[in-house]
């Protein structure tokens, strides 16, 4: 399938979504009593708010994945990085406070979580760049290590795979200065996400560093020729993937859930993998990746709301909707051309 | 290397394959052993650190100025391996795990050899298990109890598991072949979908009405794979022998049949395979279907031998299968010792938790570490091969230009090159 074909399909999908939205709005307007209307009425300010909260780990994983992949290092370990940081955030906040952390202690946990994720990413980078490991297998290893390590450490610390609950980060309120009027209140990780998405876009598209990242993944030799160290650029790309995933994991644990859940696929439950799909769908563009994350999160929020409304659709079945969507999206519109040199190791000519 | 310029792609690929597969066997065993040794060392550090973090009544040793340590790594490893074989009942548990891991390990290995990364064995196993339970429960009323009935039901169960797993495995194969969807992502997503579908089907339609938990009715006792040598309710020697025969069969299939040849060529040299007349799309779908069928068989054996029914909380045998296969260098015969090792680790992990209060999830950490270490020397070896046989493969890595397989997929690693 050609690239033009893909973008046409992407536009069709966007147009189709808009049409459905208009149709649903019409149903709501003309048939307020119908069951469809009840579902449409789910979509309100609170719904959007919860979608944004659900989108946090997916979006941050996607942003991280973009930087790593664009620099030429495929990082499929994002899921593991989310798990590590979600665990660390709760473990640190809980331990330093003795169980009931204050807001300040929660933020210390947040920072520690980002740091732990960056350190894990550094390990991954060293293995891939210095030891020329196979990136896909090494990424898989990062995921599996996190999947084993976090519940293991949970048991060591708390005696069980789940942590006791802690408080979550309080919302930030933005108001008009010197008045009581508040414009909006939002979860801090949500605010960070809304800042990070355009910032990442700006860095990638309008700065020298963004051009280096691009060149490092597309044509490292050219980058080398103009005197930029490909290794350093790739390290930055991978470390940024750790940085963003760290915010995503800590945002999930401290912003929304207030607990580490280590059973099964852990509380991260595939969001890192959905993040990968989100940036593929968004064609390595942070804005597109955010759009895709928002789409997946809104499906997730929809199934939560439908359950709250008491629809007798089995929750497990609705729960698979985001995953099915990912597959459909990937099969029909989501495929994108990866950076040419992604997955390839680069040896500087001067060595 | 002599001049090979005049040879056809097929001949070149043939020779490259033969050399890389055979010449690397010894080296590969060394790599796997080295990875195991490194994991044991790093695992010991993990044990020490966690023992330092943990609080316990009687620390095993203390270091002045640093603190007390609750776990002794050597003790943990000794218990881990002792626990796998003692008491004798544990041998049965170890062999049970080994049997199941043989199926999932082979499943991952077959896909890998075709250049496909099947992370979806878990989903194929979960749905295969459901297919087996449903088929056996459906056929059971019309067959006579006893040996004949057992033969019929076990056959039906195995076929159903393999069929359902095969169909589920063919989906990501077809998505990759015809829609270019990365199988690493689709197989992972299909794992979530499979467990969602299975849970819903059982809880809404096939639930055992007398049970509080989500599970099907139990299959008749005579349809269960029974112990022959060990006095155990969870392990059947027959199943283990069957799995070993299957491993040998897959080895023969890969190395002695034309389908196996096509499959391996597609994995090692996709372009060469195309030039050589291999229909890569069909090979992709059929090798994923075969991989899924093996995963489904694992699910069938889980139902017939272990659980007697489909129930929630099926262990992560599929993910362990990835480790088993990678440790085995994706060689079907190598899968046998690798499955035995992980079977032993699984059983031993229960012993360390029970006897030393070291969380059994430690084995999950070791699993990840093993993969991590195998990922590294593996590439050193590939680089070595590339330098030695530099004229064999285009040196795509250094010029940053077009790659031979530019996809972001898992088709670049771990297979026999």
């Amino acid at each position: 399938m050609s690239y033009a074909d893909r973008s046409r399909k992407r536009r069709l999908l966007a147009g189709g979504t808009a049409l459905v939205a208009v149709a649903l709005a019409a149903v709501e307007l003309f048939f307020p009593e119908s069951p469809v209307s009840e579902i449409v009425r789910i979509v309100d300010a609170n719904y959007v708010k919860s979608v944004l909260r659900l989108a946090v780990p997916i979006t941050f994983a996607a942003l991280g994945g973009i930087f790593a992949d664009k620099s030429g290092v495929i990082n499929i370990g994002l899921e593991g990085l989310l798990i590590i940081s979600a665990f660390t955030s709760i473990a640190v906040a809980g331990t330093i406070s003795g169980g009931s952390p204050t807001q300040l202690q929660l933020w210390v946990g947040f920072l520690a979580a980002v740091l732990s994720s960056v350190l894990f990413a550094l390990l991954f980078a060293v293995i891939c760049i210095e030891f020329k490991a196979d990136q896909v297998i090494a990424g898989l290893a990062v995921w599996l290590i996190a999947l084993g390590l976090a519940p293991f450490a949970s048991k060591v610390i708390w005696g069980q795979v789940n942590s006791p609950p802690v408080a979550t980060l309080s919302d930030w309120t933005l108001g008009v200065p010197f008045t009581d009027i508040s414009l909006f209140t939002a979860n801090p990780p949500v605010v960070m996400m809304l800042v990070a998405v355009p910032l990442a876009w700006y860095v990638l598209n309008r700065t020298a560093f963004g051009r280096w990242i691009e060149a490092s993944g597309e044509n490292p030799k050219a980058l080398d020729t103009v005197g930029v160290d490909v290794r350093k650029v790739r390290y930055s790309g991978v470390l940024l993937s750790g940085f963003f995933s760290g915010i995503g994991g800590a945002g999930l644990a401290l912003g929304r859930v207030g607990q580490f859940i280590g059973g099964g696929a852990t509380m991260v439950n595939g969001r890192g993998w959905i993040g990968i799909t989100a940036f593929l769908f968004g064609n390595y563009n942070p804005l597109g990746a955010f759009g895709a994350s928002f789409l997946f999160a809104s499906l997730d929020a929809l199934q939560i709301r439908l359950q709250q409304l008491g629809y007798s659709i089995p929750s497990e079945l609705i729960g698979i909707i985001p995953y099915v969507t990912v597959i459909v999206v990937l099969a029909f519109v989501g495929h994108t051309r990866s950076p040419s040199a992604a997955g390839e190791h680069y040896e500087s000519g001067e060595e | 290397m002599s001049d090979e310029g005049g040879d056809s792609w097929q001949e070149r690929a043939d020779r490259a394959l033969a050399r890389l597969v055979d010449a690397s066997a010894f080296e590969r065993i060394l790599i796997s052993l080295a990875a195991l040794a490194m994991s044991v060392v790093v695992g010991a550090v993990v044990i020490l650190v966690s023992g330092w973090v943990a609080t316990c009544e009687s620390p095993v040793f203390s270091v002045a100025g640093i603190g007390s340590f609750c776990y002794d790594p050597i003790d943990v490893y000794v218990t881990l391996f002792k626990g796998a074989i003692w008491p004798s009942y544990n041998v049965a548990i170890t062999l049970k795990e080994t049997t199941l891991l043989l199926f999932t390990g082979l499943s991952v290995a077959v896909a890998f050899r075709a250049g496909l990364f099947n992370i979806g064995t878990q989903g194929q196993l979960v749905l295969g298990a459901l297919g087996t339970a449903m088929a056996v429960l459906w056929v059971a009323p019309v067959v006579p109890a006893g040996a004949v009935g057992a033969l019929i039901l076990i056959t039906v169960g195995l076929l159903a598991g393999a069929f359902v797993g095969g169909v589920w495995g063919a989906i990501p194969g077809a998505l990759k072949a015809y829609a270019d969807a990365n199988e690493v992502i689709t197989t992972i997503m299909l794992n979530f979908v499979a467990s969602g579908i299975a849970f819903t089907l059982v809880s809404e339609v096939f639930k055992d009405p007398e049970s509080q938990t989500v599970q099907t009715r139990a299959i008749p006792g005579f349809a269960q794979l029974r112990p022959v040598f060990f006095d155990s309710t969870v392990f059947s020697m027959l199943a283990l022998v069957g799995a070993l025969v299957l491993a040998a069969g897959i080895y023969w299939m890969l190395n002695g049949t034309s389908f196996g040849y096509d499959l391996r060529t597609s994995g090692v040299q996709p372009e060469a395979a195309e030039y050589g007349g291999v229909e890569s799309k069909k090979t992709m779908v059929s090798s994923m279907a075969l991989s899924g069928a093996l995963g489904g068989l694992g699910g069938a054996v889980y139902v017939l031998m272990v659980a007697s029914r489909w129930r929630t909380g099926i262990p992560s045998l599929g993910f362990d299968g990835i480790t088993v296969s990678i440790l085995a260098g994706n060689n079907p015969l190598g899968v046998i010792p690798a499955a035995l090792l992980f079977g032993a680790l699984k059983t031993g992990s229960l012993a360390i938790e029970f006897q030393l209060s070291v969380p059994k999830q430690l084995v999950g950490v070791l699993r990840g570490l093993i993969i991590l270490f195998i990922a590294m020397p593996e590439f050193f070896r590939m680089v070595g091969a590339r330098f030695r046989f530099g004229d064999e493969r285009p040196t795509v890595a250094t010029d940053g230009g077009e790659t031979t397989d530019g996809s972001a997929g898992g088709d670049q690693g771990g297979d026999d090159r």
Side-chain angles (χ1 to χ4, degrees):
Chain A
M1 220 176 288
S2 72
Y3 180 74
D5 203 20
R6 297 274 185 187
S7 16
R8 190 175 57 85
K9 281 198 171 176
R10 224 174 253 130
R11 278 199 300 275
L12 271 177
L13 187 84
T17 313
L19 269 181
V20 171
V22 169
L24 289 177
V27 171
E28 155 75 6
L29 195 62
F30 297 112
F31 308 98
E33 298 303 316
S34 74
V36 176
S37 281
E38 194 180 350
I39 294 172
V40 171
R41 239 170 281 139
I42 289 174
V43 182
D44 56 15
N46 274 330
Y47 178 77
V48 175
K49 243 182 179 169
S50 78
V51 170
L52 286 173
R53 286 160 84 108
L54 288 167
V56 164
I58 303 174
T59 305
F60 276 109
L63 291 181
I66 291 175
F67 277 93
D69 271 29
K70 272 198 167 251
S71 77
V73 182
I74 300 165
N75 185 358
I76 68 163
L78 298 171
E79 172 90 3
L81 297 177
L82 290 180
I83 295 174
I84 286 295
S85 98
F87 165 78
T88 310
S89 66
I90 301 286
V92 169
T95 307
I96 58 170
S97 65
S100 44
T102 62
Q103 285 297 312
L104 181 68
Q105 285 162 331
L106 288 179
W107 281 107
V108 174
F110 195 95
L111 285 178
V114 174
L115 189 67
S116 71
S117 175
V118 170
L119 285 177
F120 243 73
L122 177 65
L123 177 78
F124 174 73
V126 169
I127 287 162
C128 288
I129 298 170
E130 304 299 332
F131 298 116
K132 301 189 168 59
D134 183 290
Q135 294 169 1
V136 173
I137 298 192
L140 193 70
V142 168
W143 172 45
L144 289 176
I145 289 176
L147 204 54
L149 193 58
F152 173 79
S154 299
K155 269 198 163 175
V156 168
I157 298 176
W158 300 298
Q160 51 173 17
V161 291
N162 301 339
S163 80
V166 299
T168 52
L169 294 169
S170 336
D171 285 357
W172 279 340
T173 303
L174 188 74
V176 180
F178 312 114
T179 66
D180 287 341
I181 307 162
S182 63
L183 293 175
F184 75 93
T185 59
N187 202 232
V190 169
V191 178
M192 292 181 195
M193 174 176 73
L194 295 177
V195 173
V197 169
L199 192 65
W201 181 89
Y202 179 82
V203 167
L204 281 172
N205 292 288
R206 292 288 183 272
T207 64
F209 178 69
R211 282 193 297 278
W212 294 345
I213 289 269
E214 181 98 31
S216 171
E218 293 289 352
N219 194 346
K221 195 183 173 92
L223 191 63
D224 201 12
T225 313
V226 299
V228 178
D229 190 339
V230 174
R231 277 174 62 249
K232 280 185 186 161
V233 174
R234 290 192 167 179
Y235 268 110
S236 330
V238 178
L239 289 182
L240 277 171
S241 77
F243 173 74
F244 283 122
S245 303
I247 299 179
L252 170 69
L254 292 177
R256 188 155 64 82
V257 183
Q259 188 187 13
F260 178 75
I261 301 163
T266 77
M267 67 195 299
V268 175
N269 200 18
R271 288 184 176 86
W273 298 108
I274 295 189
I276 292 177
T277 317
F279 77 71
L280 290 177
F281 184 33
N283 200 17
Y284 293 88
N285 179 337
L287 304 178
F290 173 66
S293 306
F294 193 86
L295 174 71
F296 298 142
S298 63
L299 289 168
D300 211 5
L302 187 66
Q303 62 110 348
I304 295 171
R305 282 298 172 90
L306 285 177
Q307 277 172 54
Q308 286 166 349
L309 286 175
Y311 280 86
S312 62
I313 313 166
S315 62
E316 300 279 331
L317 196 62
I318 309 173
I320 68 173
I321 291 176
Y323 302 110
V324 174
T325 314
V326 166
I327 294 168
V328 171
V329 159
L330 201 59
F332 293 104
V333 285
H335 181 83
T336 41
R337 197 186 67 80
S338 303
S340 311
E344 295 292 337
H345 300 270
Y346 182 72
E347 201 77 62
S348 169
E350 288 153 25
E351 279 180 59
Chain B
M1 286 288 100
S2 61
D3 176 34
E4 293 173 350
D7 293 345
S8 74
W9 270 102
Q10 172 122 27
E11 286 168 291
R12 288 181 64 164
D14 198 10
R15 267 205 306 280
L17 255 181
R19 185 174 54 236
L20 287 172
V21 170
D22 298 335
S24 67
F26 180 66
E27 216 176 352
R28 186 176 283 288
I29 291 170
L30 283 185
I31 288 169
S32 295
L33 291 178
L36 281 176
M38 301 259 293
S39 315
V40 167
V41 172
V42 177
V45 176
V46 172
I47 295 168
L48 276 178
V49 172
S50 58
W52 178 74
V53 172
T55 46
C56 52
E57 283 178 11
S58 50
V60 289
F61 60 92
S62 301
V63 179
I66 298 176
S68 58
F69 294 82
C70 289
Y71 317 132
D72 173 6
I74 296 172
D75 201 14
V76 170
Y77 283 126
V78 168
T79 310
L80 196 61
F81 276 89
K82 256 198 201 157
I85 50 172
W86 191 87
S88 64
Y89 177 76
N90 284 11
V91 178
I93 303 181
T94 296
L95 292 178
K96 172 200 84 173
E97 292 290 340
T98 305
T99 308
L100 295 169
L101 289 174
L102 273 171
F103 289 104
T104 56
L106 287 173
S107 163
V108 179
V110 163
F112 237 133
R113 292 298 279 268
L116 297 161
F117 210 154
N118 182 10
I119 303 181
T121 296
Q122 183 69 20
Q124 292 141 18
L125 179 137
V126 165
L127 282 183
L130 182 60
T132 301
M134 293 331 301
V136 170
L137 287 171
W138 186 57
V139 177
V142 297
V143 298
V148 178
L151 197 65
I152 296 173
L153 285 188
I154 290 172
T155 310
V156 164
L158 291 174
L159 287 177
F163 176 76
V164 174
V167 170
W168 198 248
I171 295 172
L175 286 173
K176 167 100 173 178
Y178 299 103
D180 211 8
N182 187 327
E183 84 282 6
V184 175
I185 309 288
T186 52
T187 51
I188 288 168
M189 294 298 141
L190 284 169
N191 283 337
F192 290 102
V193 177
S195 53
I197 289 178
F199 185 93
T200 308
L201 275 179
V202 173
S203 70
E204 300 295 312
V205 191
F206 302 117
K207 190 166 176 286
D208 178 3
E210 285 164 23
S211 164
Q212 295 293 314
T213 55
V214 176
Q215 59 181 30
T216 63
R217 286 180 290 122
I219 60 172
F222 64 90
Q224 291 166 18
L225 284 168
R226 281 301 173 84
V228 179
F229 295 119
F230 283 95
D231 183 23
S232 157
T233 51
V234 292
F235 169 66
S236 155
M237 202 51 147
L238 212 61
L240 176 60
V241 171
L244 291 174
V245 170
L246 190 67
I250 296 288
Y251 182 82
W252 172 78
M253 190 274 304
L254 282 174
N255 296 292
T257 67
S258 65
F259 174 69
Y261 176 82
D262 289 356
L263 189 146
R264 284 181 299 135
T265 324
S266 311
V268 179
Q269 292 259 8
E271 285 85 5
E274 284 277 353
Y275 280 109
V278 177
E279 286 185 79
S280 69
K281 288 187 196 307
K282 275 188 185 160
T283 308
M284 227 176 245
V285 178
S286 48
S287 44
M288 276 304 283
L290 176 63
S291 172
L294 289 166
L297 270 182
V301 173
Y302 175 76
V303 167
L304 296 171
M305 185 174 83
V306 182
S308 308
R309 50 159 60 90
W310 191 95
R311 63 185 181 198
T312 51
I314 291 184
S316 64
L317 294 156
F319 295 131
D320 290 332
I322 299 172
T323 322
V324 166
S325 178
I326 291 180
L327 182 63
N330 308 311
N331 180 320
L333 296 182
V335 163
I336 297 170
L340 183 64
L341 176 75
F342 271 88
L345 284 177
K346 255 302 192 23
T347 316
S349 71
L350 302 174
I352 59 166
E353 183 157 282
F354 184 66
Q355 294 173 25
L356 306 173
S357 337
V358 175
K360 62 175 191 283
Q361 282 81 1
L362 177 68
V363 168
V365 181
L366 292 177
R367 173 180 72 176
L369 288 173
I370 292 171
I371 294 199
L372 190 73
F373 287 119
I374 288 187
M376 290 188 277
E378 171 70 7
F379 201 80
F380 278 127
R381 198 182 61 74
M382 281 166 57
V383 170
R386 190 169 281 169
F387 281 125
R388 247 176 287 150
F389 313 119
D391 55 333
E392 203 65 40
R393 296 159 59 86
T395 49
V396 290
T398 47
D399 64 9
E402 285 299 304
T403 62
T404 48
D405 48 1
S407 74
D411 51 354
Q412 333 178 326
D415 42 12
D416 271 323
R417 298 194 197 201

